Amino acid sequence: MDDFQQSTDETKSTRFVHLYPGLRVLLYISLIELIIFITCIFLIAKYEGLSMYEAFYMAVITVFTVGYGDITPQTTAGQKTVILMVVTGVGYISFFSSLLVTTLIEGKILHLWSEIVMERKISRLRNHIIVCSLGRAGSAAIRRLQKEGIACVGIDINEERCKILRDQGHLTLLGDATEDAVLEKAGIKRATAVITALPEDGDNILITMAAKDLNKNIRVVARADKKENETRLRRAGADWVTVVGLPAGTRLAMAAVKPITSDFVQTFLDEYSLKLEEFFIEKDCPLANKAIKDINLREKYGMHILAVVRNKQTLANPSADEKILPGDIIIVFGTPDEMEKAEKILGFSCPLKL
């Protein structure tokens, strides 16, 4: 049996564990009542000398209490059988009706059906990404993955978080991502990557170990709350680790989708001591009202302009002919020394470190 078939069978075997308790009771009682009903049909046919259809007809009008007009039990054994049907059948109909009304009012059936549909959709996924924890970072990662056209499943122990993303059309599972059963239900054996963004580093380490144990080829992208736990996560098997406060959920998502690019950016910023910064352009700034090609930031200071923010609009990768206007915010990257030098010479105002 392949991994997918095994996972599907496990999902089916555990599905009824999560059913509404009242519906499970109804299922058991229905099975018992069905056995009694069929048995009574055979007994009536035997004791009253009726055909199976006539016995079935008598059983139906008995259970639904519509009375007898054209056919009635004549023997003592037949009458006792009918009494048994009245007691059990009428009681069952009353219980079924009350439970059905209560369940519909509480919305349990609709919730149950949505859970089943959700699990079926997840069971059909291949090469998807699992996002553990749907806080700010996890939610941002899922939205970014959607923009990239990558199928993903979110897991969170908080029902409200799951509901918010589910209402937006995302696949989510309510459960503890540190448990193997929940990861298997999310399709860990068929997934290509796992993003673990829980607030506790210990939980992220557990998920990393569990993911690698369940699928040795899966890529694990982890978030660390403390810098010293970055090494522990890598020892646990994480392929890419980020510390809180640096990249957000979007960076996590890109690390799962485009690992080579993300590794390059991480190395580029860390090993070469580069940093991102944003500067406000005042009226008297030497760069004001000049085109990017004319200010020569790269040649003079080794700084590269990544974007220009103007009137709350971001111009990413601006062209060389784009003018820098007073009131603009330019986002640049370079070495700390170059940043400091440019800040003093050019008179940049209020640098905001990213």
Side-chain angles (χ1 to χ4, degrees):
M1 181 183 297
D2 56 31
D3 291 343
F4 166 67
Q5 184 63 42
Q6 181 179 356
S7 177
T8 303
D9 292 341
E10 288 170 355
T11 299
K12 291 179 179 178
S13 65
T14 58
R15 179 175 297 159
F16 286 101
V17 175
H18 305 287
L19 293 181
Y20 180 50
L23 294 179
R24 283 188 288 165
V25 173
L26 177 62
L27 175 62
Y28 299 144
I29 294 179
S30 297
L31 290 175
I32 295 173
E33 175 59 27
L34 180 62
I35 294 173
I36 295 175
F37 186 75
I38 294 175
T39 303
C40 288
I41 291 176
F42 280 98
L43 292 176
I44 290 174
K46 176 182 178 181
Y47 295 137
E48 299 295 322
L50 302 176
S51 66
M52 292 301 299
Y53 174 77
E54 291 173 329
F56 174 74
Y57 172 73
M58 178 179 286
V60 170
I61 63 176
T62 300
V63 169
F64 287 94
T65 65
V66 296
Y68 299 98
D70 51 352
I71 183 171
T72 59
Q74 302 297 319
T75 66
T76 301
Q79 293 170 350
K80 291 179 179 179
T81 303
V82 168
I83 292 174
L84 176 62
M85 278 197 301
V86 170
V87 173
T88 59
V90 175
Y92 170 77
I93 295 298
S94 300
F95 172 75
F96 176 81
S97 301
S98 61
L99 181 62
L100 182 61
V101 172
T102 302
T103 303
L104 287 174
I105 292 175
E106 294 179 357
K108 296 296 183 179
I109 286 181
L110 294 178
H111 176 71
L112 172 62
W113 178 249
S114 67
E115 289 291 330
I116 293 176
V117 171
M118 186 71 62
E119 290 182 15
R120 287 179 177 173
K121 288 181 179 179
I122 293 173
S123 69
R124 291 195 292 267
L125 291 180
R126 298 288 189 285
N127 301 320
H128 58 291
I129 295 176
I130 300 173
V131 180
C132 302
S133 182
L134 302 178
R136 287 195 303 174
S139 299
I142 282 187
R143 295 188 181 98
R144 179 63 188 185
L145 290 170
Q146 184 185 44
K147 290 181 179 179
E148 292 288 326
I150 306 297
C152 59
V153 178
I155 303 175
D156 201 290
I157 202 168
N158 185 295
E159 186 174 2
E160 184 62 25
R161 289 178 178 176
C162 290
K163 184 178 184 302
I164 290 174
L165 285 174
R166 188 173 298 183
D167 291 342
Q168 296 173 359
H170 301 289
L171 298 177
T172 63
L173 279 177
L174 178 63
D176 187 350
T178 62
E179 297 179 358
D180 288 0
V182 176
L183 291 175
E184 289 177 348
K185 187 180 292 186
I188 187 75
K189 296 177 180 178
R190 307 184 306 278
T192 58
V194 171
I195 297 175
T196 173
L198 274 72
E200 297 293 332
D201 289 348
D203 291 336
N204 290 324
I205 291 173
L206 285 175
I207 293 173
T208 299
M209 295 174 65
K212 288 293 186 179
D213 184 53
L214 294 170
N215 184 349
K216 64 180 181 180
N217 296 319
I218 201 164
R219 176 174 174 82
V220 177
V221 176
R223 189 188 82 163
D225 183 56
K226 298 179 181 178
K227 181 66 177 177
E228 56 267 28
N229 287 331
E230 181 178 356
T231 303
R232 295 186 177 94
L233 278 162
R234 292 190 183 278
R235 285 205 304 262
D239 299 284
W240 196 90
V241 182
T242 181
V243 180
V244 173
L246 298 178
T250 299
R251 184 92 178 271
L252 289 171
M254 295 311 296
V257 177
K258 300 176 180 178
I260 296 177
T261 303
S262 297
D263 288 341
F264 169 75
V265 172
Q266 184 79 3
T267 303
F268 196 62
L269 293 176
D270 291 344
E271 294 187 6
Y272 293 92
S273 300
L274 296 175
K275 67 175 182 177
L276 294 173
E277 223 171 75
E278 57 185 35
F279 293 103
F280 180 75
I281 305 299
E282 293 186 333
K283 292 181 180 179
D284 56 354
C285 177
L287 305 185
N289 298 307
K290 291 183 178 179
I292 293 177
K293 65 182 179 181
D294 296 329
I295 60 181
N296 298 322
L297 275 184
R298 180 178 178 182
E299 289 76 9
K300 293 181 179 180
Y301 306 102
M303 293 168 51
H304 303 261
I305 297 180
L306 299 179
V308 177
V309 180
R310 179 180 301 151
N311 298 325
K312 297 182 179 181
Q313 299 292 323
T314 301
L315 305 176
N317 191 26
S319 68
D321 295 324
E322 185 68 41
K323 278 190 175 183
I324 304 298
L325 304 178
D328 286 352
I329 295 175
I330 61 172
I331 301 175
V332 300
F333 80 88
T335 65
D337 293 340
E338 292 166 341
M339 294 283 188
E340 185 177 355
K341 180 181 176 182
E343 183 180 347
K344 291 178 180 179
I345 295 176
L346 299 176
F348 283 136
S349 176
C350 60
L352 303 175
K353 294 179 177 58
L354 293 179

